[in-house]
Amino acid sequence: MKKILVIGSAGQIGTELTPALRNIYGSGNVIASDLNPDVNPILKEGRFICFDALDREKMYSLVKENNIDTIYNLVAILSATGEANPQMSIKVNLGALNNVLEVSRELGCSVFTPSSIGAFGESTPFDNTPQDTIQRPSTIYGVTKVAGELLCDYYATRFGVDTRGVRYPGIISNVQLPGGGTTDYAVEIFYEAIKNMKYTCNLGAGTFLDMMYMPDAIKAAIDLMEADPTKLKHRNAFNVTAMSFDPEIIAAEIKKHLPEFSMDYDVDSGKQKIANSWPNSMDDSVAREEWGWKPDYNLAKMTEDMLKVLKEKLK
Ligand code: NAD
Ligand code: SER
């Protein structure tokens, strides 16, 4: 059985990925960790360790002492927060990954590290964005993501480390709120629809972005880590997507369930600039071909489930 360490487990993705991993591999085989000690109690249903991923010695001893063979590295400063503090973004995003790769090289671990739609920029084709294309992002987040993709490829070819990863789109979920990204509006809109029946959107009409519901994000991570390595030609940074919409389209979908719901706009120019530089919709056919990626949720199915879960959670 795999022995797994999830680093950065207290964030939007880790809070749901960790229990999913524990269900599959056994609670005793999955250690959760984060810099933040104040985490969702679900993470403490198994072992939880508070530590700084920038501390390589601590990471090394944790991995060695617990015979860890697989690391899910979820540590990151997301796009909007990164623009407010580029130095922190470089230090955290690349520092944590560098430590994970070095420890994995020394101790023989497999590594999952997500990249993002943020790894693309204005010179990338916006529609049907290919797997292999121009990557000149204009955000520091994107710069760290491209560097991370390259570092993971380098450790695989140069040192034989089993690195794997996907380019996630905006992730929509209902357990842990998102942590400072540009796509956060697509989560907030559901909370505000349930709480206030109205929402003020910080991205403008016509801003199309790729999105995905959390169950598919978890499935992508686990399926890729279970995939037959001989079938993987890319290994890292697979485009994966489930849907593409703009604020008008998601608002209209919510209105089908909540006819009283209304939305207006107060555009955040910083976030809009970031969103304008990202793809409208990615081509994920390479992930489909190499490891059988296929999402379960489209916009209609995701909206129905989000509203059902949040009605219960927020009542
Ligand atoms: P998040 O911001 O919600 O969580 C990141 C976690 O990392 C936080 O719990 C934070 O406390 C922790 N962390 C920060 N610095 C740390 C350090 N030095 N040591 C240990 N822990 C530290 O992020 P997320 O949304 O869960 O994203 C996880 C990964 O997926 C990131 O690589 C992100 O870039 C990528 N991704 C996320 C999305 C999305 O929409 N959520 C989309 C594309 C890619
Ligand atoms: N959701 C992330 C962000 O907006 C995309 O990587 O930063």
Side-chain angles (χ1 to χ4, degrees), residues 37-99:
D38 183 21
V39 302
N40 188 308
I42 201 169
L43 293 178
K44 296 193 170 166
E45 286 175 9
R47 195 159 160 222
F48 176 82
I49 296 169
C50 186
F51 96 102
D52 185 347
L54 301 183
D55 181 346
R56 191 185 299 172
E57 275 177 36
K58 175 76 184 169
M59 192 187 293
Y60 182 94
S61 53
L62 231 164
V63 169
K64 193 168 171 60
E65 281 159 20
N66 293 285
N67 298 313
I68 297 295
D69 55 37
T70 305
I71 298 177
Y72 284 78
N73 169 35
L74 304 176
V75 172
I77 304 297
L78 297 193
S79 57
T81 310
E83 284 314 290
N85 195 340
Q87 275 302 306
M88 183 171 73
S89 180
I90 294 170
K91 188 173 155 196
V92 173
N93 296 10
L94 291 176
L97 177 60
N98 188 29
N99 287 347

Side-chain angles (χ1 to χ4, degrees), residues 12 77-81 115-119 141 145 168-171 178-184 209 211 274 278:
Q12 187 190 5
I77 304 297
L78 297 193
S79 57
T81 310
S115 184
S116 160
I117 49 173
Y141 176 67
K145 286 300 175 189
Y168 278 134
I171 306 296
T182 302
T183 59
D184 295 7
L209 291 166
M211 300 280 175
I274 296 173
W278 290 355

Side-chain angles (χ1 to χ4, degrees), residues 124-170:
T124 305
F126 282 103
D127 296 307
N128 219 17
T129 305
Q131 173 67 41
D132 301 308
T133 185
I134 300 162
Q135 290 185 266
R136 306 288 291 174
S138 51
T139 63
I140 194 62
Y141 176 67
V143 170
T144 66
K145 286 300 175 189
V146 176
E149 292 180 5
L150 293 171
L151 268 175
C152 288
D153 279 348
Y154 179 77
Y155 269 74
T157 51
R158 172 83 164 80
F159 301 118
V161 178
D162 181 12
T163 57
R164 306 184 190 193
V166 296
R167 291 185 185 123
Y168 278 134

